[in-house]
């Protein structure tokens, strides 16, 4: 696409605010339902296991369709996809708020995930192409990075406030006017797409990888319900793995693959994907454990539980912005990512260690702070690592792969920790064991990050301008 926005326009700030708002919607929409989960479960009759699909349906659809969304932004145009995705997001949020049964709510969450998968890559493409290289683009991308890392935690806070004051339905309703307003304003602030690339969308690849991942998560969710000796549980897991492997076969043979196989020979990208998977596995685990502990053990209402996330969100935004920029510049990508993940692991371990049946918020607060700080730093560093050594023409795909790993890690991580927690006779003890397992996964991510090496050479000026994730710090 060719950008035609006037780089000196006074609307530049408004354009950035619009794109930042869209990124914030993406970030909070995954987490704003956490605090509302107990009320949703009670209102619609979800079981402890099936309730996680309110979260996982969004994560699986988002993760499985991100690559398709990136390709669509190239083929159809970033501005067109941006506006269309906002409308999909708004409509599915309306349906979610109106849902009166489990199936409709889970379906609405899956469509929200589709909207996120279309919106995320279009936001990045618009930042790269509609802001001039240099100070203005760097500022725009730093806002993107801080908004993404902070919004992940802010979602829980907003969800708590909204659920307490208005009811769980408004966690969904509140998104509707925002997305519609953004879609109406976008044509005035963002110039039309003037050129798009041609090619296919690799629909078979997108469908196969999405169904495969969904089956894996379904099997993990079914295990505690029907028993781990069940054919239903293991059959879904095995079939899902086979479909994911089939996805790679499709990518080797199709003319226009979602993810060119050559990218998987990039050690930095593959390592970043593995760390991203472990990052969000720990994120979904920690958020779920913290939310349940606040409401079930400490008897916090939704507002109090949401406010309990405030330190996490603040420190995630601080670490994901200027701190990440300083650490990555001075220590390098591998060391910076490793530091973030190790602090992340220590924070999660400290959080669960402070939990007890007669405990208090103050006992877990140090862990909450470290968990937020390390997670924010690692979130930004992941996209820097994913972009290292990737040519300019594949930067969008590389960032989509990193984001896909994040979302799939969240869904799989939540399924695993639920299985661990429910396998223990004492649910609080089970939550703690699950938390330690998630912390061990985050620590493994830190050790993997230490294997990252500096790129052999920096990309050329034109390529560096296209490397949106790297510029984000």
């Amino acid at each position: 696409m060719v950008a035609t926005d006037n780089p000196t326009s006074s609307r530049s700030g408004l354009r950035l605010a619009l794109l930042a708002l869209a990124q914030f919607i993406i970030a909070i929409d995954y987490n704003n339902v956490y605090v509302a989960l107990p009320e949703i479960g009670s209102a619609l009759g979800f079981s402890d296991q099936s309730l996680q699909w309110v979260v996982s349906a969004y994560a699986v659809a988002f993760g499985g369709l991100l690559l398709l969304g990136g390709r669509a932004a190239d083929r159809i145009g970033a501005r067109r996809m941006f506006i269309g995705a906002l409308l999909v997001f708004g409509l599915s949020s309306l349906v979610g708020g109106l849902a009166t049964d489990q199936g409709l709510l889970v379906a609405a969450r899956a469509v929200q995930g589709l909207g996120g998968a279309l919106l995320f890559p279009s936001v990045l493409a618009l930042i790269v192409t509609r802001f001039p290289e240099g100070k203005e683009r760097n500022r725009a991308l730093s806002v993107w990075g801080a908004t993404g890392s902070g919004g992940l935690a802010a979602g829980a806070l907003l969800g708590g406030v909204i659920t307490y004051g208005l009811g769980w339905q408004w966690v969904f309703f509140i998104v509707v006017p925002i997305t519609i307003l953004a879609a109406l304003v976008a044509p005035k602030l963002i110039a039309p797409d003037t050129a798009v690339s041609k090619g296919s969308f690799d629909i078979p690849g997108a469908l196969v990888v999405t169904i495969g991942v969904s089956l894996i998560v379904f099997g993990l969710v079914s295990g505690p319900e029907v028993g781990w000796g069940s054919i239903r549980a293991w059959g879904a897991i095995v079939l899902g793995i086979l479909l994911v492997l089939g996805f790679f076969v499709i990518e080797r043979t199709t003319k226009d693959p979602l993810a060119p196989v050559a990218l998987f020979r990039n050690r930095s990208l593959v390592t970043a994907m593995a760390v991203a998977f472990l990052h969000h596995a720990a994120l979904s685990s920690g958020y779920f454990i913290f939310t349940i502990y606040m409401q079930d053990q400490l008897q916090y209402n939704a507002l109090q539980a949401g406010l309990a996330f405030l330190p996490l969100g603040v420190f995630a935004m601080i670490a994901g912005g200027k701190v990440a920029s300083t650490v990555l510049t001075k220590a390098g990508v591998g060391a910076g990512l490793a530091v973030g993940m190790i602090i992340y692991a220590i924070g999660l371990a400290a959080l669960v260690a402070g939990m007890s049946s007669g405990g208090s918020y103050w006992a877990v607060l140090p862990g909450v702070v470290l968990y937020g700080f390390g997670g924010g730093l690692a979130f930004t560093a992941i996209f820097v690592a994913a972009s290292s050594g990737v040519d300019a023409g594949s930067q969008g795909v590389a960032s989509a792969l990193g984001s896909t790993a994040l979302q799939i890690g969240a869904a799989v991580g939540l399924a695993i920790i639920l299985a661990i927690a429910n396998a223990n006779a004492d649910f609080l003890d089970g939550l703690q064991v699950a938390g330690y397992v998630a912390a061990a996964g985050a620590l493994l991510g830190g050790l993997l990050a230490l294997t990252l090496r500096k790129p052999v050479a920096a990309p050329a000026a034109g390529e560096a301008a296209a490397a949106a994730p790297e510029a984000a710090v």
Side-chain angles (χ1 to χ4, degrees):
M1 284 168 285
V2 178
T4 58
D5 292 299
N6 181 357
T8 62
S9 171
S10 60
R11 294 185 177 183
S12 177
L14 293 174
R15 190 184 315 131
L16 175 57
L18 174 64
L19 295 173
L21 176 63
Q23 178 61 26
F24 190 72
I25 291 171
I26 296 169
I28 68 169
D29 208 67
Y30 174 73
N31 288 334
N32 65 355
V33 299
Y34 270 100
V35 176
L37 284 177
E39 286 198 19
I40 292 173
S42 177
L44 301 184
F46 282 97
S47 67
D48 289 339
Q49 281 73 40
S50 63
L51 184 59
Q52 77 139 334
W53 277 101
V54 178
V55 175
S56 295
Y58 179 90
V60 171
F62 190 6
L65 294 169
L66 264 168
L67 294 173
L68 182 63
R71 188 64 79 184
D74 291 335
R75 300 290 191 251
I76 298 174
R79 191 183 81 151
R80 295 187 186 96
M81 290 308 305
F82 179 78
I83 295 171
L86 284 169
L87 295 175
V88 170
F89 225 108
L91 179 59
S92 58
S93 297
L94 177 62
V95 173
L98 294 173
T100 56
D101 64 78
Q102 298 175 19
L104 184 60
L105 179 58
V106 171
R109 286 290 285 168
V111 178
Q112 278 186 315
L114 167 62
L118 299 176
L119 188 58
F120 181 89
S122 66
V123 170
L124 271 179
L126 288 170
I127 288 177
V128 172
T129 59
R130 309 307 170 99
F131 287 87
E133 181 181 358
K135 181 179 179 181
E136 191 169 349
R137 181 179 295 171
N138 291 340
R139 180 173 70 92
L141 289 167
S142 66
V143 170
W144 174 85
T147 301
S149 57
L152 289 171
L157 171 60
L158 293 175
V161 173
I162 293 169
T163 301
Y164 180 80
L166 299 172
W168 68 264
Q169 294 91 341
W170 283 91
V171 169
F172 299 99
F173 288 150
I174 198 70
V175 177
V176 178
I178 298 173
T179 53
I180 293 175
L181 178 61
L184 292 174
V185 170
K188 301 180 184 299
L189 298 179
I190 304 171
D193 303 305
T194 57
V196 294
S197 57
K198 296 181 179 180
S200 69
F201 288 95
D202 189 17
I203 297 295
L207 290 176
V208 166
V209 73
T210 301
I211 295 172
V213 171
S214 299
L215 284 171
I216 292 172
V217 177
F218 176 78
L220 290 168
V221 173
S222 299
E225 291 184 304
V226 300
W228 286 108
S230 168
I231 295 178
R232 167 182 161 184
W234 283 109
I237 292 171
V238 171
L239 180 57
I241 291 173
L242 291 175
L243 286 173
V244 171
L245 293 175
F247 167 73
F248 289 101
V249 174
I250 292 172
E251 299 309 277
R252 290 181 65 90
T253 57
T254 190
K255 181 180 178 182
D256 291 301
L258 284 177
V261 176
L263 283 176
F264 293 97
R265 292 194 286 268
N266 182 313
R267 179 178 175 181
S268 180
L269 173 58
V270 172
T271 302
M273 290 175 62
V275 176
F277 179 94
L278 294 169
H279 179 283
H280 259 40
L283 181 139
S284 64
S285 302
Y287 276 32
F288 184 85
I289 290 169
F290 188 42
T291 297
I292 296 301
Y293 178 68
M294 290 293 104
Q295 297 192 60
D296 287 4
Q297 297 295 322
L298 301 187
Q299 299 299 304
Y300 279 21
N301 60 36
L303 176 61
Q304 292 170 322
L307 290 172
F309 275 88
L310 182 59
L312 194 157
V314 169
F315 280 91
M317 291 190 72
I318 292 172
K322 291 187 177 296
V323 172
S325 178
T326 301
V327 171
L328 296 174
T329 298
K330 293 185 176 181
V333 177
L337 180 54
V339 167
M341 290 296 292
I342 291 171
I343 294 175
Y344 195 37
I346 293 172
L348 181 53
L351 191 162
V352 297
M355 291 164 45
S356 65
S357 58
S360 70
Y361 177 67
W362 304 109
V364 299
L365 182 58
V368 170
V369 170
L370 290 174
Y371 180 59
F373 186 91
L377 172 57
F379 178 82
T380 302
I382 283 168
F383 287 94
V384 179
S387 69
S388 297
V390 177
D391 65 86
S394 299
Q395 286 291 342
V397 175
S399 65
L401 285 169
S403 301
T404 298
L406 286 172
Q407 298 303 321
I408 302 308
V412 174
L414 183 56
I416 291 175
I417 66 105
L418 265 178
I420 294 172
N422 284 288
N424 198 295
D426 185 282
F427 190 64
L428 178 58
D429 288 344
L431 284 179
Q432 288 182 302
V433 172
Y436 286 128
V437 170
L443 180 61
L444 175 60
L447 298 177
L448 285 174
L450 289 174
T451 67
L452 287 171
R453 296 173 295 185
K454 279 189 174 183
V456 176
E463 294 177 347
E470 186 162 0
V473 298

